[in-house]
């Protein structure tokens, strides 16, 4: 048996669930065992282990932290451009 943590985060809050799985379990099995409802999982855009993006078939190891990723709310490049425009206008 291995123990892993499955985490889903929103702005200013998060939900972490610990699950025990048989050795050789995959990310998909951990997500299924976490008990998050289907409506919550529908908004997941990807998965990561300790910040490194993985797919559902990736095998897990003891102590892994599976992170359920939400879609980006804004394009990072566009957000940077908007901040630069605001800073220029302040000068």
């Amino acid at each position: 048996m291995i123990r892993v943590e499955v985490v889903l985060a929103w702005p200013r809050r998060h939900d972490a669930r610990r699950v025990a799985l048989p050795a050789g379990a995959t990310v998909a099995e951990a997500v299924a065992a976490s008990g998050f409802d289907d409506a919550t999982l529908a908004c997941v855009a990807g998965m990561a282990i300790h910040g490194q993006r993985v797919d559902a078939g990736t095998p897990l190891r003891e102590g892994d932290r599976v992170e359920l990723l939400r879609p980006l709310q804004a394009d990072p490049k566009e957000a940077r451009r908007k901040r630069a425009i605001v800073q220029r206008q302040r000068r």
Side-chain angles (χ1 to χ4, degrees):
M1 290 297 258
I2 60 171
R3 288 180 200 67
V4 298
E5 185 175 32
V6 181
V7 179
L8 179 61
W10 299 269
R12 295 183 261 312
R13 71 183 176 103
H14 72 279
D15 189 357
R17 301 183 182 179
R18 295 182 190 272
V19 296
L21 302 164
T26 64
V27 170
E29 292 168 333
V31 171
S34 69
F36 286 111
D37 61 57
D38 291 337
T40 301
L41 293 176
C43 71
V44 172
M47 294 166 275
I49 296 177
H50 298 295
Q52 297 295 314
R53 197 167 178 102
V54 296
D55 62 20
T58 303
L60 295 169
R61 295 183 307 216
E62 176 71 29
D64 277 349
R65 175 185 168 110
V66 177
E67 300 151 358
L68 304 177
L69 308 173
R70 295 177 297 115
L72 292 175
Q73 294 179 340
D75 176 25
K77 289 181 182 179
E78 186 59 31
R80 165 79 175 81
R81 283 187 199 103
K82 288 179 181 178
R83 284 193 310 270
I85 290 170
V86 169
Q87 287 177 354
R88 276 189 232 123
Q89 291 173 349
R90 288 183 185 167
R91 293 180 190 171

